[in-house]
Amino acid sequence: MSTVKFYCPDQQVPLEMHKVRVVQKLFLPPVEERMRKMNEAGNNTFLLQNKDVFMDMLTDSGVNAMSDNQMAAMMQADDSYAGSETCNRLLKSIEDVFGMKYFLPAHQGRACENILAETFVKPGDVVPMNFHFTTTKAHITRMGGSVEELVIPEGLEPKNDHPFKGNFDIPRLEALIEKVGANHIPFVRIEAGTNLIGGQPLSLDNMLKVAAICKKHGIMSVLDASLLQDNLYFIKTREAACKYMSIREITRKLSDQMDLIYFSSRKLGFSRGGGIISNNESLILKMKALIPLFEGFLTYGGMEVRSMEAIAVGLQETMDEEIISQGPIFIEQLVKELDAYGVPMITPAGGLGAHINASEFLPGMPHDQYPAGALAAALYIAGGIRGMERGTISEQRNVDGTERYAELELLRLACPRRVFTLSQIKYCADRVKWLYDNRHLIGGLQWEEEPEVLRFFFGRLKPIGDWQEKLVAKFRSDFGDSL
């Protein structure tokens, strides 16, 4: 991986290994309007209109910048319903990268989860995973199964030096299999770049050990590779045994041991779509009929063919160290600046985005006032920055209606690849620092409209008290007529 050192050490910053050729104008509404827009959106950043957002750090899903080669590839798309050459090109790219010859297309990652759950999960089943993702858990529980989270203890500690906080706790996995029996475990799910604990990676060694345990007990191993590109970067840079391996070699060593891999190409591949891949034909045949039923014909699976062409190129670009480094180094820079300001961050920096520890940012706020959600609303008001709540709001209530409090209350500031400039990253750090210095003004939220399932997507909340008006007044006092 290339190293570029600056002559003046105090000027050392992440260096973009690309140039910008297309730009999109941004708008930053005045602070009073931001407060009004936040309340119109029910204090849910998902419900903000993008035209009212200055920095969209909600997610890296489907919003990464595409390359010139991807844009060019989209022009050759074959939109035939069946027998499409676009599908053939994507199949060839998948086999080249992963060494897997069977592919079931789907419109995105959660569609793959639906197919998996419908096919393999039955009532009473248990699905072990290093940590759950919101939609994954919802699909499994919808089918009568349950999820067991087996991440190592360090994964739930906001600050420590463990390089792979997303690792499986291997002894706990073996104990769970012994306890419930392999016949009640349809598959073990490994989530690369563990989303809900700060984008934390797993080591290659840990994932291979999990796959070996699955083979020993006759259990299917499933890799959610949606955030694989960041995880590959961390394996290359943090795992001593992989220092001299190429990204392609690491990818193939991992995929060769997996029974099944699924992914969202809104993350992996820099486009929109997804799919399930395997070298096990019998597994593919069990799921195959559900693709036309839920998604579309087997040559497109609900994807638009131009996106499929972009994925084929994007998967190849994911094997380029200079391309997959861009997300992690910008995230690390943001985490480093905020950590230096004293802002409580999840460290070490992971992939996907910078993660603020909202529980420590707002230490007096109880879980049922949703500190991560309140902080997300406050940051939009303070800077026009749209982050994503990854805390208790992102959980679903227990069967008896009580809250399931999240292990970590996080505000995620996603860094889509090749989208933000360094000055915008520094602006974000500056506004978070101002908010941290004025954190005593931030109050909680309470529900106005609470959906039963996936409430974080479209639920609506309101502020408790007039803390938002006080925050706006302090902003005007400190910044004058500045936006």
Side-chain angles (χ1 to χ4, degrees), residues 16 87 93-94 128 195 236 262 272 275 312 326 403 426 428 440 443 478 483:
E16 296 90 338
C87 182
S93 184
I94 287 170
N195 192 311
K236 172 75 175 175
Y262 75 91
R272 290 183 173 88
Q326 292 300 292
E403 281 284 15
K426 295 184 79 66
C428 175
H440 62 281
D478 288 351
L483 295 176

Side-chain angles (χ1 to χ4, degrees), residues 79-137:
D79 58 2
S80 303
Y81 188 87
S84 166
E85 280 303 305
T86 288
C87 182
N88 293 336
R89 283 188 283 269
L90 179 53
L91 282 167
K92 183 178 178 181
S93 184
I94 287 170
E95 188 167 5
D96 179 62
V97 170
F98 294 103
M100 291 185 164
K101 57 185 178 180
Y102 300 111
F103 170 57
L104 297 176
H107 76 273
Q108 66 180 98
R110 71 196 52 172
C112 301
E113 294 167 348
N114 175 50
I115 302 295
L116 281 166
E118 287 275 350
T119 305
F120 298 109
V121 179
K122 60 184 184 300
D125 278 350
V126 177
V127 179
M129 52 186 72
N130 48 333
F131 208 76
H132 80 279
F133 183 63
T134 50
T135 54
T136 322
K137 184 176 180 178

Side-chain angles (χ1 to χ4, degrees), residues 428-483:
C428 175
D430 181 81
R431 288 301 186 260
V432 173
K433 165 61 172 168
W434 177 83
L435 202 58
Y436 185 62
D437 289 346
N438 292 280
R439 59 192 180 278
H440 62 281
L441 296 174
I442 303 173
L445 300 173
Q446 61 187 21
W447 287 105
E448 276 192 313
E449 299 174 18
E450 182 182 357
E452 289 186 14
V453 179
L454 299 177
R455 60 187 183 174
F456 66 92
F457 276 135
F458 44 90
R460 303 179 67 86
L461 302 101
K462 62 181 180 181
I464 299 172
D466 61 351
W467 63 266
Q468 294 184 346
E469 287 82 357
K470 292 176 180 176
L471 195 67
V472 168
K474 187 64 167 65
F475 182 95
R476 277 289 170 233
S477 173
D478 288 351
F479 291 103
D481 61 358
S482 169
L483 295 176

Side-chain angles (χ1 to χ4, degrees), residues 246-469:
S246 70
I247 297 298
R248 284 187 180 274
E249 289 170 336
I250 295 168
T251 302
R252 288 298 289 271
K253 193 171 181 66
L254 176 61
S255 61
D256 283 349
Q257 299 307 312
M258 293 294 143
D259 292 312
L260 188 149
I261 297 174
Y262 75 91
F263 60 91
S264 168
S265 351
R266 295 177 72 90
K267 298 179 183 291
L268 182 71
F270 307 105
S271 187
R272 290 183 173 88
I276 303 170
I277 60 177
S278 180
N279 270 329
N280 188 321
E281 186 178 15
S282 66
L283 292 178
I284 292 294
L285 288 174
K286 288 178 181 178
M287 297 179 282
K288 192 173 183 177
L290 296 181
I291 299 299
L293 184 62
F294 287 125
E295 297 297 306
F297 191 60
L298 293 167
T299 54
Y300 71 95
M303 284 188 280
E304 198 271 334
V305 287
R306 291 166 186 79
S307 294
M308 294 174 70
E309 294 282 3
I311 295 166
V313 175
L315 289 175
Q316 297 296 327
E317 293 181 344
T318 299
M319 298 295 101
D320 186 332
E321 297 171 3
E322 306 299 351
I323 288 178
I324 65 172
S325 68
Q326 292 300 292
I329 61 175
F330 263 61
I331 293 165
E332 184 179 29
Q333 178 71 19
L334 181 54
V335 170
K336 184 171 71 174
E337 289 201 25
L338 290 173
D339 193 52
Y341 286 148
V343 177
M345 305 298 296
I346 298 297
T347 59
L352 181 56
H355 291 76
I356 301 174
N357 181 1
S359 294
E360 192 176 336
F361 197 109
L362 303 170
M365 187 176 294
H367 275 288
D368 61 4
Q369 291 187 18
Y370 311 111
L375 184 55
L379 182 58
Y380 173 74
I381 293 170
I385 300 164
R386 172 160 65 173
M388 185 191 291
E389 190 272 358
R390 297 276 74 168
T392 296
I393 294 175
S394 293
E395 296 290 343
Q396 56 190 47
R397 287 185 181 268
N398 297 316
V399 177
D400 63 2
T402 59
E403 281 284 15
R404 182 196 185 279
Y405 296 133
E407 288 86 350
L408 295 170
E409 290 281 351
L410 305 180
L411 172 59
R412 184 178 81 195
L413 302 176
C415 293
R417 284 82 180 159
R418 303 176 291 201
V419 170
F420 296 127
T421 65
L422 191 59
S423 65
Q424 290 167 334
I425 292 293
K426 295 184 79 66
Y427 166 82
C428 175
D430 181 81
R431 288 301 186 260
V432 173
K433 165 61 172 168
W434 177 83
L435 202 58
Y436 185 62
D437 289 346
N438 292 280
R439 59 192 180 278
H440 62 281
L441 296 174
I442 303 173
L445 300 173
Q446 61 187 21
W447 287 105
E448 276 192 313
E449 299 174 18
E450 182 182 357
E452 289 186 14
V453 179
L454 299 177
R455 60 187 183 174
F456 66 92
F457 276 135
F458 44 90
R460 303 179 67 86
L461 302 101
K462 62 181 180 181
I464 299 172
D466 61 351
W467 63 266
Q468 294 184 346
E469 287 82 357

